[in-house]
Amino acid sequence: MMNNNYARGRYPPGMGNGWGGGGGGGGTPNHNYQNRNPHYPQLQPPYRQRTAESQPQQWMRRNPSASTVSESANEVEKTVQSEAAGSTSQDWKGRPTIPPPDRRYKTEDVTATKGNEFEDYFLKRELLLGIYEKGFEKPSPIQEESIPIALTGSNILARAKNGTGKTAAFCIPALEKIDSDKNVIQAVILVPTRELALQTSQVCKELGKHLKIQVMVTTGGTSLKDDIMRLYQPVHLLVGTPGRILDLTRKGICNLNECSMLVMDEADKLLSPEFQPSIEQLISFLPPNRQMLMYSATFPVTVKDFKDKYLRKPYIINLMDELTLKGITQYYAFVEERQKVHCLNTLFSKLQINQSIIFCNSVNRVELLAKKITELGYSCFYIHAKMLQDHRNKVFHEFRNGACRNLVCTDLFTRGIDIQAVNVVINFDFPKNSETYLHRVGRSGRFGHLGLAVNLITYEDRFNLYRIEQELGAEIKQIPSHIDHAIYCM
């Protein structure tokens, strides 16, 4: 499906190569963005809200002397002018509670940028504060390509690797375009799983913490009554799974008449037979001039028909010259089925694991393996689709917060789940296709960091291993007796 239109750096007619004056090349970014944007003078930092007009009034109440008032007003005016002259973007960026910079090694999947800054996109100051407090330093390649185009109102079909910043690439423009004074749903983000919905809504809340934007998350398996009650309160941004949002919309509880943006994350999964009918019905409730943004790491042929039907003149972004992730070392260990648990025990004893995710092909095998790992003396959680939603939420939250080192799961956890501490993925059961393999392996080495993937291969898996290597253009090597910690722990 991909063609030459996927070239990176193609901008809509009328746009230059450097968005917002930031420069499209790798030159020095212009930090003096306040002088380029007429709106910024009214967005001065809160610690500079003294004004020359308000200060004399305070002095007048204390001392009615006209000469004193005049002198004080002049002094205040000089002080404010002096402060304004010294106020730069770097000055206010130093004020928020910014986490320490991430000094870990990163691959070119996230470092090969044009040198743009978030300020170059003329975002609201409150949104910029949230971005920097979240720890984002500069836009990643998918963010550089996507954010300015999304802000123009264009439709987007974007393909980028797992763990390269896709979530912020659509959350930032969605938050920027929402008018918090209008108490209507203005943007909907669709995702295929409950865990990804919770994670995405949390990212939106953290990025928009200084905005007055109300974010709601809704998924199947949770209380419909609670969602109905919540929708009677203001909601600007709705994140959820297609079935639940469609159900609420059909009931007349969720009003999408003024929803101008629809985002589809993990779009290939959302266009599978399981979800596509719900997606198409949901689109019928949106205004005809809505903007649609579609993001995924893989786009099967089925996406083309949907794109041709619903996306008018989409801007196409393809940042995937190759499918496999840089920075993730991939090995296989040839074993018999009865040797797998022993092999896993050996890996636990030899590897330097921050956190690991271990994949099985069925629910029963997940529970049995989790029990075995616990018996071996290692901390272990498990999660799968047949668990109660409250239990799933608790496991996901606690694993993400580092309460446990190892998580056993089904492919429920292969879509978009972003846990930075995961540096090892183990395929206890080898997947049947390259798409599933790519999403599983992408759980390690998030945002360009290093990671390790170990595949336990039986005699029956040998043909799948060969086929997946060929389809992905990957080299999955036989596991050595000693694995250098530097290849997945830097």
Side-chain angles (χ1 to χ4, degrees), residues 307-334:
K307 172 182 73 74
D308 293 342
K309 185 175 180 181
Y310 293 105
L311 270 71
R312 298 178 305 276
K313 299 179 180 178
Y315 182 82
I316 296 173
I317 300 169
N318 182 30
L319 301 184
M320 292 189 64
D321 299 326
E322 57 184 359
L323 285 171
T324 52
L325 284 166
K326 293 182 174 70
I328 299 181
T329 304
Q330 302 164 64
Y331 291 125
Y332 73 86
F334 195 73

PDB file of all heavy atoms in Angstrom, residues 307-334:
ATOM      1  N   LYS A 307      -9.391   4.553   4.230  1.00  0.00           N
ATOM      2  CA  LYS A 307      -8.800   5.874   3.965  1.00  0.00           C
ATOM      3  C   LYS A 307      -9.483   6.547   2.770  1.00  0.00           C
ATOM      4  O   LYS A 307      -9.851   7.729   2.822  1.00  0.00           O
ATOM      5  CB  LYS A 307      -7.304   5.732   3.694  1.00  0.00           C
ATOM      6  CG  LYS A 307      -6.622   7.018   3.224  1.00  0.00           C
ATOM      7  CD  LYS A 307      -5.159   6.796   2.921  1.00  0.00           C
ATOM      8  CE  LYS A 307      -4.925   6.026   1.648  1.00  0.00           C
ATOM      9  NZ  LYS A 307      -5.193   6.859   0.426  1.00  0.00           N
ATOM     10  N   ASP A 308      -9.659   5.805   1.704  1.00  0.00           N
ATOM     11  CA  ASP A 308     -10.279   6.368   0.500  1.00  0.00           C
ATOM     12  C   ASP A 308     -11.717   6.812   0.747  1.00  0.00           C
ATOM     13  O   ASP A 308     -12.194   7.760   0.126  1.00  0.00           O
ATOM     14  CB  ASP A 308     -10.244   5.330  -0.637  1.00  0.00           C
ATOM     15  CG  ASP A 308      -8.825   5.032  -1.102  1.00  0.00           C
ATOM     16  OD1 ASP A 308      -7.919   5.843  -0.805  1.00  0.00           O
ATOM     17  OD2 ASP A 308      -8.617   3.980  -1.737  1.00  0.00           O
ATOM     18  N   LYS A 309     -12.403   6.138   1.679  1.00  0.00           N
ATOM     19  CA  LYS A 309     -13.811   6.439   1.939  1.00  0.00           C
ATOM     20  C   LYS A 309     -13.998   7.600   2.898  1.00  0.00           C
ATOM     21  O   LYS A 309     -14.903   8.419   2.718  1.00  0.00           O
ATOM     22  CB  LYS A 309     -14.491   5.184   2.494  1.00  0.00           C
ATOM     23  CG  LYS A 309     -15.998   5.326   2.695  1.00  0.00           C
ATOM     24  CD  LYS A 309     -16.606   4.005   3.139  1.00  0.00           C
ATOM     25  CE  LYS A 309     -18.118   4.130   3.335  1.00  0.00           C
ATOM     26  NZ  LYS A 309     -18.721   2.844   3.784  1.00  0.00           N
ATOM     27  N   TYR A 310     -13.135   7.710   3.916  1.00  0.00           N
ATOM     28  CA  TYR A 310     -13.405   8.654   5.000  1.00  0.00           C
ATOM     29  C   TYR A 310     -12.391   9.792   5.142  1.00  0.00           C
ATOM     30  O   TYR A 310     -12.691  10.791   5.782  1.00  0.00           O
ATOM     31  CB  TYR A 310     -13.480   7.907   6.334  1.00  0.00           C
ATOM     32  CG  TYR A 310     -14.672   6.988   6.439  1.00  0.00           C
ATOM     33  CD1 TYR A 310     -14.526   5.613   6.322  1.00  0.00           C
ATOM     34  CD2 TYR A 310     -15.946   7.500   6.649  1.00  0.00           C
ATOM     35  CE1 TYR A 310     -15.630   4.762   6.413  1.00  0.00           C
ATOM     36  CE2 TYR A 310     -17.056   6.673   6.748  1.00  0.00           C
ATOM     37  CZ  TYR A 310     -16.889   5.298   6.621  1.00  0.00           C
ATOM     38  OH  TYR A 310     -17.967   4.471   6.714  1.00  0.00           O
ATOM     39  N   LEU A 311     -11.192   9.654   4.612  1.00  0.00           N
ATOM     40  CA  LEU A 311     -10.177  10.704   4.787  1.00  0.00           C
ATOM     41  C   LEU A 311     -10.032  11.509   3.509  1.00  0.00           C
ATOM     42  O   LEU A 311      -9.538  10.999   2.494  1.00  0.00           O
ATOM     43  CB  LEU A 311      -8.811  10.099   5.171  1.00  0.00           C
ATOM     44  CG  LEU A 311      -8.550   9.940   6.674  1.00  0.00           C
ATOM     45  CD1 LEU A 311      -9.431   8.833   7.231  1.00  0.00           C
ATOM     46  CD2 LEU A 311      -7.093   9.617   6.928  1.00  0.00           C
ATOM     47  N   ARG A 312     -10.470  12.768   3.553  1.00  0.00           N
ATOM     48  CA  ARG A 312     -10.351  13.645   2.394  1.00  0.00           C
ATOM     49  C   ARG A 312      -8.932  14.204   2.315  1.00  0.00           C
ATOM     50  O   ARG A 312      -8.464  14.866   3.240  1.00  0.00           O
ATOM     51  CB  ARG A 312     -11.351  14.806   2.491  1.00  0.00           C
ATOM     52  CG  ARG A 312     -12.803  14.393   2.511  1.00  0.00           C
ATOM     53  CD  ARG A 312     -13.737  15.597   2.652  1.00  0.00           C
ATOM     54  NE  ARG A 312     -13.421  16.397   3.829  1.00  0.00           N
ATOM     55  CZ  ARG A 312     -13.881  16.103   5.040  1.00  0.00           C
ATOM     56  NH1 ARG A 312     -14.623  15.027   5.241  1.00  0.00           N
ATOM     57  NH2 ARG A 312     -13.577  16.877   6.071  1.00  0.00           N
ATOM     58  N   LYS A 313      -8.261  13.951   1.222  1.00  0.00           N
ATOM     59  CA  LYS A 313      -6.909  14.460   0.972  1.00  0.00           C
ATOM     60  C   LYS A 313      -6.009  14.326   2.203  1.00  0.00           C
ATOM     61  O   LYS A 313      -5.515  15.327   2.742  1.00  0.00           O
ATOM     62  CB  LYS A 313      -6.961  15.928   0.531  1.00  0.00           C
ATOM     63  CG  LYS A 313      -7.731  16.146  -0.755  1.00  0.00           C
ATOM     64  CD  LYS A 313      -7.767  17.618  -1.147  1.00  0.00           C
ATOM     65  CE  LYS A 313      -8.534  17.832  -2.437  1.00  0.00           C
ATOM     66  NZ  LYS A 313      -8.625  19.262  -2.805  1.00  0.00           N
ATOM     67  N   PRO A 314      -5.797  13.119   2.684  1.00  0.00           N
ATOM     68  CA  PRO A 314      -4.994  12.966   3.909  1.00  0.00           C
ATOM     69  C   PRO A 314      -3.522  13.296   3.672  1.00  0.00           C
ATOM     70  O   PRO A 314      -2.986  13.044   2.589  1.00  0.00           O
ATOM     71  CB  PRO A 314      -5.166  11.486   4.254  1.00  0.00           C
ATOM     72  CG  PRO A 314      -5.408  10.824   2.929  1.00  0.00           C
ATOM     73  CD  PRO A 314      -6.204  11.810   2.123  1.00  0.00           C
ATOM     74  N   TYR A 315      -2.913  13.863   4.678  1.00  0.00           N
ATOM     75  CA  TYR A 315      -1.463  14.064   4.674  1.00  0.00           C
ATOM     76  C   TYR A 315      -0.845  12.774   5.187  1.00  0.00           C
ATOM     77  O   TYR A 315      -1.174  12.296   6.280  1.00  0.00           O
ATOM     78  CB  TYR A 315      -1.093  15.235   5.583  1.00  0.00           C
ATOM     79  CG  TYR A 315       0.384  15.546   5.604  1.00  0.00           C
ATOM     80  CD1 TYR A 315       0.964  16.316   4.611  1.00  0.00           C
ATOM     81  CD2 TYR A 315       1.194  15.054   6.618  1.00  0.00           C
ATOM     82  CE1 TYR A 315       2.314  16.606   4.627  1.00  0.00           C
ATOM     83  CE2 TYR A 315       2.549  15.334   6.641  1.00  0.00           C
ATOM     84  CZ  TYR A 315       3.101  16.100   5.642  1.00  0.00           C
ATOM     85  OH  TYR A 315       4.446  16.372   5.662  1.00  0.00           O
ATOM     86  N   ILE A 316       0.023  12.184   4.393  1.00  0.00           N
ATOM     87  CA  ILE A 316       0.558  10.854   4.713  1.00  0.00           C
ATOM     88  C   ILE A 316       1.980  10.970   5.249  1.00  0.00           C
ATOM     89  O   ILE A 316       2.842  11.611   4.649  1.00  0.00           O
ATOM     90  CB  ILE A 316       0.512   9.937   3.476  1.00  0.00           C
ATOM     91  CG1 ILE A 316      -0.953   9.716   3.069  1.00  0.00           C
ATOM     92  CG2 ILE A 316       1.165   8.598   3.784  1.00  0.00           C
ATOM     93  CD1 ILE A 316      -1.142   8.973   1.776  1.00  0.00           C
ATOM     94  N   ILE A 317       2.177  10.377   6.418  1.00  0.00           N
ATOM     95  CA  ILE A 317       3.495  10.369   7.070  1.00  0.00           C
ATOM     96  C   ILE A 317       3.951   8.925   7.197  1.00  0.00           C
ATOM     97  O   ILE A 317       3.213   8.089   7.729  1.00  0.00           O
ATOM     98  CB  ILE A 317       3.421  11.010   8.474  1.00  0.00           C
ATOM     99  CG1 ILE A 317       2.941  12.459   8.394  1.00  0.00           C
ATOM    100  CG2 ILE A 317       4.774  10.931   9.181  1.00  0.00           C
ATOM    101  CD1 ILE A 317       2.582  13.060   9.751  1.00  0.00           C
ATOM    102  N   ASN A 318       5.134   8.627   6.712  1.00  0.00           N
ATOM    103  CA  ASN A 318       5.687   7.290   6.887  1.00  0.00           C
ATOM    104  C   ASN A 318       7.124   7.409   7.381  1.00  0.00           C
ATOM    105  O   ASN A 318       8.010   7.840   6.644  1.00  0.00           O
ATOM    106  CB  ASN A 318       5.664   6.493   5.576  1.00  0.00           C
ATOM    107  CG  ASN A 318       6.207   5.086   5.769  1.00  0.00           C
ATOM    108  OD1 ASN A 318       6.088   4.512   6.844  1.00  0.00           O
ATOM    109  ND2 ASN A 318       6.799   4.525   4.729  1.00  0.00           N
ATOM    110  N   LEU A 319       7.331   7.033   8.620  1.00  0.00           N
ATOM    111  CA  LEU A 319       8.674   7.103   9.203  1.00  0.00           C
ATOM    112  C   LEU A 319       9.223   5.702   9.444  1.00  0.00           C
ATOM    113  O   LEU A 319       9.996   5.473  10.357  1.00  0.00           O
ATOM    114  CB  LEU A 319       8.636   7.887  10.527  1.00  0.00           C
ATOM    115  CG  LEU A 319       8.126   9.333  10.431  1.00  0.00           C
ATOM    116  CD1 LEU A 319       8.227  10.020  11.782  1.00  0.00           C
ATOM    117  CD2 LEU A 319       8.890  10.116   9.380  1.00  0.00           C
ATOM    118  N   MET A 320       8.804   4.761   8.588  1.00  0.00           N
ATOM    119  CA  MET A 320       9.234   3.381   8.771  1.00  0.00           C
ATOM    120  C   MET A 320       9.875   2.843   7.505  1.00  0.00           C
ATOM    121  O   MET A 320       9.241   2.191   6.683  1.00  0.00           O
ATOM    122  CB  MET A 320       8.054   2.502   9.199  1.00  0.00           C
ATOM    123  CG  MET A 320       7.551   2.835  10.588  1.00  0.00           C
ATOM    124  SD  MET A 320       6.346   1.678  11.229  1.00  0.00           S
ATOM    125  CE  MET A 320       7.291   0.178  11.346  1.00  0.00           C
ATOM    126  N   ASP A 321      11.162   3.158   7.342  1.00  0.00           N
ATOM    127  CA  ASP A 321      11.910   2.589   6.232  1.00  0.00           C
ATOM    128  C   ASP A 321      12.111   1.089   6.443  1.00  0.00           C
ATOM    129  O   ASP A 321      12.241   0.321   5.510  1.00  0.00           O
ATOM    130  CB  ASP A 321      13.278   3.279   6.095  1.00  0.00           C
ATOM    131  CG  ASP A 321      13.118   4.760   5.814  1.00  0.00           C
ATOM    132  OD1 ASP A 321      12.148   5.115   5.113  1.00  0.00           O
ATOM    133  OD2 ASP A 321      13.934   5.553   6.303  1.00  0.00           O
ATOM    134  N   GLU A 322      12.172   0.687   7.699  1.00  0.00           N
ATOM    135  CA  GLU A 322      12.272  -0.728   8.051  1.00  0.00           C
ATOM    136  C   GLU A 322      11.342  -0.978   9.224  1.00  0.00           C
ATOM    137  O   GLU A 322      11.036  -0.085  10.004  1.00  0.00           O
ATOM    138  CB  GLU A 322      13.707  -1.097   8.408  1.00  0.00           C
ATOM    139  CG  GLU A 322      14.301  -0.266   9.535  1.00  0.00           C
ATOM    140  CD  GLU A 322      15.753  -0.592   9.805  1.00  0.00           C
ATOM    141  OE1 GLU A 322      16.285  -1.477   9.132  1.00  0.00           O
ATOM    142  OE2 GLU A 322      16.323   0.025  10.703  1.00  0.00           O
ATOM    143  N   LEU A 323      10.884  -2.230   9.352  1.00  0.00           N
ATOM    144  CA  LEU A 323       9.880  -2.540  10.352  1.00  0.00           C
ATOM    145  C   LEU A 323      10.448  -2.723  11.748  1.00  0.00           C
ATOM    146  O   LEU A 323       9.852  -2.330  12.731  1.00  0.00           O
ATOM    147  CB  LEU A 323       9.110  -3.803   9.940  1.00  0.00           C
ATOM    148  CG  LEU A 323       8.103  -3.603   8.803  1.00  0.00           C
ATOM    149  CD1 LEU A 323       7.576  -4.955   8.334  1.00  0.00           C
ATOM    150  CD2 LEU A 323       6.959  -2.724   9.234  1.00  0.00           C
ATOM    151  N   THR A 324      11.611  -3.369  11.858  1.00  0.00           N
ATOM    152  CA  THR A 324      12.117  -3.707  13.193  1.00  0.00           C
ATOM    153  C   THR A 324      12.654  -2.476  13.906  1.00  0.00           C
ATOM    154  O   THR A 324      13.118  -1.526  13.290  1.00  0.00           O
ATOM    155  CB  THR A 324      13.231  -4.761  13.103  1.00  0.00           C
ATOM    156  OG1 THR A 324      14.215  -4.311  12.171  1.00  0.00           O
ATOM    157  CG2 THR A 324      12.680  -6.085  12.649  1.00  0.00           C
ATOM    158  N   LEU A 325      12.587  -2.531  15.228  1.00  0.00           N
ATOM    159  CA  LEU A 325      13.045  -1.414  16.041  1.00  0.00           C
ATOM    160  C   LEU A 325      14.555  -1.444  16.208  1.00  0.00           C
ATOM    161  O   LEU A 325      15.128  -2.476  16.555  1.00  0.00           O
ATOM    162  CB  LEU A 325      12.385  -1.471  17.415  1.00  0.00           C
ATOM    163  CG  LEU A 325      10.924  -1.031  17.485  1.00  0.00           C
ATOM    164  CD1 LEU A 325      10.334  -1.454  18.809  1.00  0.00           C
ATOM    165  CD2 LEU A 325      10.800   0.460  17.305  1.00  0.00           C
ATOM    166  N   LYS A 326      15.164  -0.291  15.984  1.00  0.00           N
ATOM    167  CA  LYS A 326      16.582  -0.161  16.300  1.00  0.00           C
ATOM    168  C   LYS A 326      16.741  -0.196  17.820  1.00  0.00           C
ATOM    169  O   LYS A 326      15.883   0.253  18.550  1.00  0.00           O
ATOM    170  CB  LYS A 326      17.131   1.167  15.752  1.00  0.00           C
ATOM    171  CG  LYS A 326      17.151   1.252  14.233  1.00  0.00           C
ATOM    172  CD  LYS A 326      17.745   2.583  13.808  1.00  0.00           C
ATOM    173  CE  LYS A 326      17.917   2.665  12.289  1.00  0.00           C
ATOM    174  NZ  LYS A 326      16.621   2.746  11.601  1.00  0.00           N
ATOM    175  N   GLY A 327      17.859  -0.736  18.268  1.00  0.00           N
ATOM    176  CA  GLY A 327      18.137  -0.732  19.696  1.00  0.00           C
ATOM    177  C   GLY A 327      17.614  -1.942  20.445  1.00  0.00           C
ATOM    178  O   GLY A 327      17.908  -2.109  21.625  1.00  0.00           O
ATOM    179  N   ILE A 328      16.814  -2.796  19.788  1.00  0.00           N
ATOM    180  CA  ILE A 328      16.322  -4.008  20.441  1.00  0.00           C
ATOM    181  C   ILE A 328      17.065  -5.215  19.874  1.00  0.00           C
ATOM    182  O   ILE A 328      16.941  -5.533  18.689  1.00  0.00           O
ATOM    183  CB  ILE A 328      14.808  -4.181  20.256  1.00  0.00           C
ATOM    184  CG1 ILE A 328      14.071  -2.997  20.883  1.00  0.00           C
ATOM    185  CG2 ILE A 328      14.338  -5.487  20.883  1.00  0.00           C
ATOM    186  CD1 ILE A 328      12.574  -3.073  20.771  1.00  0.00           C
ATOM    187  N   THR A 329      17.849  -5.860  20.710  1.00  0.00           N
ATOM    188  CA  THR A 329      18.586  -7.061  20.301  1.00  0.00           C
ATOM    189  C   THR A 329      17.665  -8.266  20.433  1.00  0.00           C
ATOM    190  O   THR A 329      17.007  -8.441  21.467  1.00  0.00           O
ATOM    191  CB  THR A 329      19.833  -7.251  21.183  1.00  0.00           C
ATOM    192  OG1 THR A 329      20.630  -6.056  21.105  1.00  0.00           O
ATOM    193  CG2 THR A 329      20.654  -8.435  20.715  1.00  0.00           C
ATOM    194  N   GLN A 330      17.599  -9.079  19.376  1.00  0.00           N
ATOM    195  CA  GLN A 330      16.649 -10.195  19.336  1.00  0.00           C
ATOM    196  C   GLN A 330      17.388 -11.532  19.238  1.00  0.00           C
ATOM    197  O   GLN A 330      18.226 -11.724  18.356  1.00  0.00           O
ATOM    198  CB  GLN A 330      15.709 -10.017  18.134  1.00  0.00           C
ATOM    199  CG  GLN A 330      14.935  -8.701  18.182  1.00  0.00           C
ATOM    200  CD  GLN A 330      14.326  -8.332  16.849  1.00  0.00           C
ATOM    201  OE1 GLN A 330      13.457  -9.045  16.352  1.00  0.00           O
ATOM    202  NE2 GLN A 330      14.774  -7.237  16.254  1.00  0.00           N
ATOM    203  N   TYR A 331      17.040 -12.444  20.146  1.00  0.00           N
ATOM    204  CA  TYR A 331      17.641 -13.780  20.167  1.00  0.00           C
ATOM    205  C   TYR A 331      16.552 -14.843  20.171  1.00  0.00           C
ATOM    206  O   TYR A 331      15.410 -14.577  20.559  1.00  0.00           O
ATOM    207  CB  TYR A 331      18.484 -13.967  21.437  1.00  0.00           C
ATOM    208  CG  TYR A 331      19.755 -13.144  21.498  1.00  0.00           C
ATOM    209  CD1 TYR A 331      19.995 -12.300  22.590  1.00  0.00           C
ATOM    210  CD2 TYR A 331      20.713 -13.216  20.499  1.00  0.00           C
ATOM    211  CE1 TYR A 331      21.159 -11.552  22.675  1.00  0.00           C
ATOM    212  CE2 TYR A 331      21.881 -12.457  20.574  1.00  0.00           C
ATOM    213  CZ  TYR A 331      22.098 -11.636  21.660  1.00  0.00           C
ATOM    214  OH  TYR A 331      23.258 -10.899  21.738  1.00  0.00           O
ATOM    215  N   TYR A 332      16.942 -16.072  19.756  1.00  0.00           N
ATOM    216  CA  TYR A 332      16.058 -17.217  19.944  1.00  0.00           C
ATOM    217  C   TYR A 332      16.822 -18.313  20.675  1.00  0.00           C
ATOM    218  O   TYR A 332      18.045 -18.427  20.567  1.00  0.00           O
ATOM    219  CB  TYR A 332      15.513 -17.753  18.604  1.00  0.00           C
ATOM    220  CG  TYR A 332      16.518 -18.506  17.761  1.00  0.00           C
ATOM    221  CD1 TYR A 332      16.732 -19.884  17.952  1.00  0.00           C
ATOM    222  CD2 TYR A 332      17.259 -17.864  16.762  1.00  0.00           C
ATOM    223  CE1 TYR A 332      17.652 -20.577  17.178  1.00  0.00           C
ATOM    224  CE2 TYR A 332      18.182 -18.551  15.986  1.00  0.00           C
ATOM    225  CZ  TYR A 332      18.370 -19.909  16.197  1.00  0.00           C
ATOM    226  OH  TYR A 332      19.295 -20.599  15.447  1.00  0.00           O
ATOM    227  N   ALA A 333      16.080 -19.084  21.459  1.00  0.00           N
ATOM    228  CA  ALA A 333      16.636 -20.261  22.132  1.00  0.00           C
ATOM    229  C   ALA A 333      15.812 -21.460  21.688  1.00  0.00           C
ATOM    230  O   ALA A 333      14.587 -21.487  21.854  1.00  0.00           O
ATOM    231  CB  ALA A 333      16.559 -20.087  23.653  1.00  0.00           C
ATOM    232  N   PHE A 334      16.476 -22.445  21.071  1.00  0.00           N
ATOM    233  CA  PHE A 334      15.785 -23.627  20.546  1.00  0.00           C
ATOM    234  C   PHE A 334      15.604 -24.627  21.683  1.00  0.00           C
ATOM    235  O   PHE A 334      16.587 -25.150  22.231  1.00  0.00           O
ATOM    236  CB  PHE A 334      16.596 -24.237  19.395  1.00  0.00           C
ATOM    237  CG  PHE A 334      15.821 -25.206  18.561  1.00  0.00           C
ATOM    238  CD1 PHE A 334      14.845 -24.766  17.688  1.00  0.00           C
ATOM    239  CD2 PHE A 334      16.061 -26.570  18.654  1.00  0.00           C
ATOM    240  CE1 PHE A 334      14.130 -25.656  16.920  1.00  0.00           C
ATOM    241  CE2 PHE A 334      15.347 -27.473  17.891  1.00  0.00           C
ATOM    242  CZ  PHE A 334      14.378 -27.017  17.016  1.00  0.00           C
TER     243      PHE A 334
END
